[in-house]
Amino acid sequence: MTATPVRKVAANTTVRHFLARVAFALIMTIVGLLFALPLVWLVLAPFDATPSLSLSWPDWTLDNFARLAENPYALRSIGNSLLLGVGTMVIVVVLGALAAYAMSRIRIPGRDGILYALLLLSSIVTGTAAMVPTFQIITQLGLINSYVGVLLVLAGGILPTVIFILKDFMDSIPKSYEESARLYGAGPFRILRDVVAPIARPGLAFISIWTIVQVWGNFLVPFILLRSPDMQPAAVLMYTFYTESGQADLRLISTFALLFSAPVLIIYFVVNRRYGFRFHGGIKS
Amino acid sequence: MAGINATQLVKEYPGGVRGVDEVDVQIHDGEFFALLGPSGCGKTTLLRSIAGLEAITAGSLVIGDRDVTNAEPGARGVAMVFQDYALFPHMDVGDNIAYPLRIKHVGRDERRATAEKVADGLSLQGLIERRPGQLSGGQQQRVALARAVATRPDVLLLDEPLSNLDARLRLEARTFLKELQRDLGVTTVFVTHDQAEALALADRIAVMKAGKLQQIGTPREVFQRPNNTFVAGFIGSNPMNLVETTVTGGGISIGETSVPVPAGTEGLVRDGQTVIWGIRPEYLRWVSSEEPGAIPAEVSVVENLGASVLIAVNASGHKFQVVVPEDHEPAPGDRGWLVPQAAKTLLFDAESTQRIG
């Protein structure tokens, strides 16, 4: 065998390899662009004097923001969403951490069964199936049109998942850490605060963001439990942006959508920076 | 400083299994005490019962002059170093060492000062701001020890203190532990499954098996006069040769040979009684020419131990292990004689396995 055919084969493979890479990059670019289009619309449409559902170079204006500011409920609804999100987060993180710690450390007969049952049922609580009973219970409790009712239902729906995830985090913390702290005189709450919570911090950070995102996007629960328009969160308010003729008011909707998506992104970056999704390792034994 | 006094201590698990079974043990003030036994023998359970991490089922526990049978772990004046050291990964070395002081509401500056002082004493200078994950195994152990002694406990408990270190570091840490214990003079109880570790470190050793105490004594006592065949077989780097045989004509029959009964057992055994005769491999001499009282045997396996050789021999149906100096090692198949050191032999009852005499 001479050297020439070998080189030819090698050159052929290189060319084919190069073409394959180019084709792959092209296809991925097209797919990526398809996914990027709605996001581009989200950023451009609010600045367009006459936005439509198609994507076009905007006729730049800030009028839409001015119009949105005139709407008495728009900005307040973002505040309402924040209130509901943070409120649910506090309830869920505090109760979830306590319950997960107990579930992780105390032997209860049928513990795993309880957890799985809760997890399954939780998807029903905040889902469409339980809409009527949920409404009736909250009415009977006299909590209709109050944030307490909404917070309870939202937290109740999210808690089982949170307990499930946090229990896993706490299971991975060696018992010797707590026993060590106990020997120095620390009580259960002290141990939870000084030892368990700091080590489970990545889990707690994840749970916090996840809860806010869940509540932020939840439409059904506040929609059926809140009556007054000034109490509605953003996700429900968007539903009311119609023109007099009953057409969807794209100028308001697009502008509001941009404002609606901003806080979640900001919260994500702040929490990620401050608390970080870092993991502390134990000792291999 | 305080002694520990356990009386009829029982720790029963749900289901009736006894981890610790009616254990009586007195540990003196300032003593370095070892709990020794194979895995699952209840030694760690006993240690954890002393710490208060396991609730005692029955019996009583006194530390110093206080009955702490039902006291909270934090109210017993004990500190413990766990097998995995249990250093908090999210705190630096200084905060770890000072954590017990933080619970006692000591101010931040004082805590840091104490931590630095204790750390210096355990050669941890310059590591005070490191996280546990950035330390070597030996350093982690010293941090755990520093945290345990920072509060000047009455009793220091160590759970398998050397088992997480590699072999070379283990010897270093052993010496270090012994020095530290002597300097502090603190009553120390440690758990180990390694008899060499127990013999090397402890002032006294308690040997346990299946939750029950087998023997308490100084390393010399448990080595020279084991209470029963279990202790005899467990203590010593090469297990004691234990041979079931009968007493004939005032001597022990090993095949055709009659070996004199150990000193102090004359009159305690009768002719025809089945007994277990015990002798350590180190106290048997291998000779190639017949001597009076020597047992004829044939070498089956030769294991090199470095400075000496461990040979397994067959002597009229009984198996013996013998330690032979390195220059006189026989080959498998060689025939020769075993000469026991009469003063070092022991006799056990065949039924109860207890030592006779």
Side-chain angles (χ1 to χ4, degrees):
Chain A
M1 195 189 272
T2 60
T4 329
V6 177
R7 208 180 300 146
K8 214 171 192 175
V9 170
N12 264 344
T13 344
T14 319
V15 169
R16 208 175 303 152
H17 185 72
F18 176 75
L19 285 178
R21 297 278 305 208
V22 170
F24 181 76
L26 267 175
I27 294 169
M28 281 304 130
T29 311
I30 293 167
V31 172
L33 278 175
L34 272 175
F35 277 94
L37 283 179
L39 292 176
V40 176
W41 183 86
L42 181 70
V43 177
L44 292 183
F47 300 97
D48 196 342
T50 52
S52 65
L53 285 175
S54 59
L55 194 62
S56 56
W57 191 245
D59 185 3
W60 294 101
T61 175
L62 286 174
D63 277 1
N64 297 338
F65 289 91
R67 264 195 65 204
L68 192 68
E70 284 164 24
N71 186 308
Y73 305 120
L75 285 180
R76 176 187 287 220
S77 75
I78 300 256
N80 292 342
S81 278
L82 272 179
L83 184 74
L84 282 177
V86 173
T88 315
M89 182 200 86
V90 171
I91 296 176
V92 156
V93 167
V94 171
L95 294 185
L98 291 174
Y101 182 44
M103 283 278 198
S104 164
R105 292 304 190 245
I106 299 168
R107 294 207 160 276
I108 307 162
R111 175 180 64 185
D112 291 348
I114 296 173
L115 268 176
Y116 278 109
L118 278 177
L119 200 61
L120 280 177
L121 292 174
S122 72
S123 56
I124 301 172
V125 171
T126 41
T128 332
M131 196 163 61
V132 175
T134 304
F135 178 78
Q136 281 180 330
I137 292 173
I138 296 298
T139 312
Q140 297 281 317
L141 287 171
L143 291 175
I144 213 78
N145 201 27
S146 82
Y147 283 145
V148 178
V150 180
L151 286 174
L152 284 180
V153 175
L154 286 172
I158 290 170
L159 257 177
T161 318
V162 166
I163 295 172
F164 196 79
I165 294 172
L166 284 183
K167 180 186 165 286
D168 230 40
F169 264 92
M170 295 189 176
D171 282 347
S172 69
I173 301 172
K175 272 193 174 162
S176 58
Y177 290 3
E178 295 152 67
E179 288 176 342
S180 186
R182 260 182 85 196
L183 276 168
Y184 301 119
F189 282 100
R190 182 98 215 208
I191 294 172
L192 185 66
R193 203 186 70 198
D194 289 352
V195 181
V196 178
I199 297 175
R201 198 173 66 172
L204 295 174
F206 164 72
I207 289 301
S208 308
I209 294 177
W210 183 76
T211 304
I212 290 184
V213 171
Q214 290 289 308
V215 173
W216 199 259
N218 193 304
F219 170 79
L220 192 65
V221 176
F223 180 68
I224 58 173
L225 296 183
L226 294 175
R227 303 281 109 201
S228 326
D230 59 341
M231 288 177 76
Q232 300 291 358
V236 177
L237 194 81
M238 207 181 302
Y239 183 62
T240 64
F241 289 151
Y242 289 100
T243 56
E244 283 85 6
S245 58
Q247 297 282 310
D249 188 339
L250 282 181
R251 293 173 67 192
L252 277 184
I253 289 180
S254 63
T255 314
F256 193 65
L258 187 65
L259 288 180
F260 181 64
S261 52
V264 175
L265 286 174
I266 292 167
I267 289 171
Y268 170 78
F269 284 117
V270 169
V271 173
N272 193 21
R273 258 192 104 95
R274 275 211 54 182
Y275 299 102
F277 297 102
R278 277 173 281 130
F279 287 84
H280 299 295
I283 297 164
K284 290 186 213 97
S285 52
Chain B
M1 302 294 112
I4 303 169
N5 205 333
T7 318
Q8 288 290 296
L9 210 65
V10 175
K11 168 65 195 177
E12 198 173 285
Y13 288 109
V17 178
R18 287 192 166 189
V20 174
D21 198 355
E22 296 177 0
V23 165
D24 283 298
V25 58
Q26 277 82 43
I27 299 165
H28 308 309
D29 187 6
E31 195 170 31
F32 204 173
F33 194 88
L35 295 173
L36 174 67
S39 25
C41 74
K43 55 192 191 299
T44 299
T45 312
L46 179 56
L47 191 82
R48 290 170 56 86
S49 303
I50 296 173
L53 297 172
E54 302 281 350
I56 294 163
T57 314
S60 74
L61 180 73
V62 175
I63 296 178
D65 44 16
R66 261 181 347 120
D67 187 319
V68 294
T69 312
N70 298 310
E72 278 292 307
R76 296 183 177 211
V78 301
M80 182 163 165
V81 175
F82 290 81
Q83 193 175 355
D84 63 0
Y85 311 138
L87 297 176
F88 305 134
H90 57 287
M91 299 183 189
D92 68 14
V93 167
D95 286 344
N96 260 294
I97 296 175
Y99 184 69
L101 300 171
R102 192 165 129 197
I103 293 174
K104 293 184 170 62
H105 304 290
V106 176
R108 193 177 159 75
D109 294 340
E110 200 188 327
R111 288 206 311 256
R112 209 67 188 180
T114 313
E116 267 175 41
K117 214 177 76 195
V118 179
D120 282 358
L122 286 148
S123 23
L124 290 165
Q125 297 92 332
L127 300 176
I128 211 95
E129 274 162 16
R130 296 254 191 109
R131 292 279 172 102
Q134 301 168 300
L135 301 178
S136 72
Q139 289 167 336
Q140 290 187 16
Q141 188 193 38
R142 293 208 296 279
V143 175
L145 278 167
R147 184 173 65 180
V149 300
T151 46
R152 305 236 133 237
D154 295 331
V155 172
L156 180 61
L157 306 175
L158 311 171
D159 187 4
E160 299 270 7
L162 303 176
S163 67
N164 269 13
L165 303 174
D166 51 51
R168 199 157 283 278
L169 203 56
R170 207 172 290 175
L171 286 179
E172 237 172 79
R174 203 158 86 178
T175 317
F176 178 81
L177 261 184
K178 191 147 188 167
E179 274 174 359
L180 179 76
Q181 197 272 341
R182 205 182 44 212
D183 292 350
L184 295 173
V186 60
T187 312
T188 306
V189 185
F190 78 103
V191 155
T192 179
H193 61 269
D194 183 350
Q195 53 85 31
E197 213 173 286
L199 290 176
L201 280 174
D203 296 327
R204 281 196 308 149
I205 300 173
V207 186
M208 291 183 72
K209 180 196 169 193
K212 283 197 180 284
L213 215 52
Q214 305 295 309
Q215 184 169 10
I216 300 183
T218 62
R220 202 151 293 282
E221 279 165 8
V222 292
F223 185 79
Q224 291 183 339
R225 297 186 66 74
N227 269 359
N228 54 33
T229 53
F230 172 76
V231 179
F234 195 75
I235 301 268
S237 38
N238 307 306
M240 186 183 279
N241 294 303
L242 295 164
V243 175
E244 189 167 318
T245 179
T246 48
V247 181
T248 328
I252 311 290
S253 317
I254 309 290
E256 300 294 304
T257 322
S258 179
V259 187
V261 295
T265 63
E266 306 92 343
L268 296 173
V269 287
R270 57 192 155 64
D271 258 21
Q273 184 182 345
T274 313
V275 290
I276 295 169
W277 184 65
I279 182 156
R280 293 199 179 277
E282 292 85 356
Y283 300 146
L284 280 169
R285 203 151 46 84
W286 176 255
V287 290
S288 47
S289 52
E290 189 167 6
E291 286 182 25
I295 308 159
E298 187 186 332
V299 178
S300 59
V301 180
V302 177
E303 287 174 49
N304 204 318
L305 302 180
S308 59
V309 176
L310 184 70
I311 58 170
V313 300
N314 251 319
S316 24
H318 301 296
K319 285 193 188 306
F320 285 94
Q321 287 195 308
V322 186
V323 174
V324 181
E326 54 185 331
D327 294 331
H328 303 288
E329 53 193 270
D334 282 4
R335 298 184 150 277
W337 284 266
L338 295 174
V339 183
Q341 283 185 44
K344 304 284 194 184
T345 60
L346 294 166
L347 215 52
F348 300 92
D349 187 277
E351 258 171 54
S352 67
T353 75
Q354 297 297 308
R355 193 185 69 237
I356 301 170

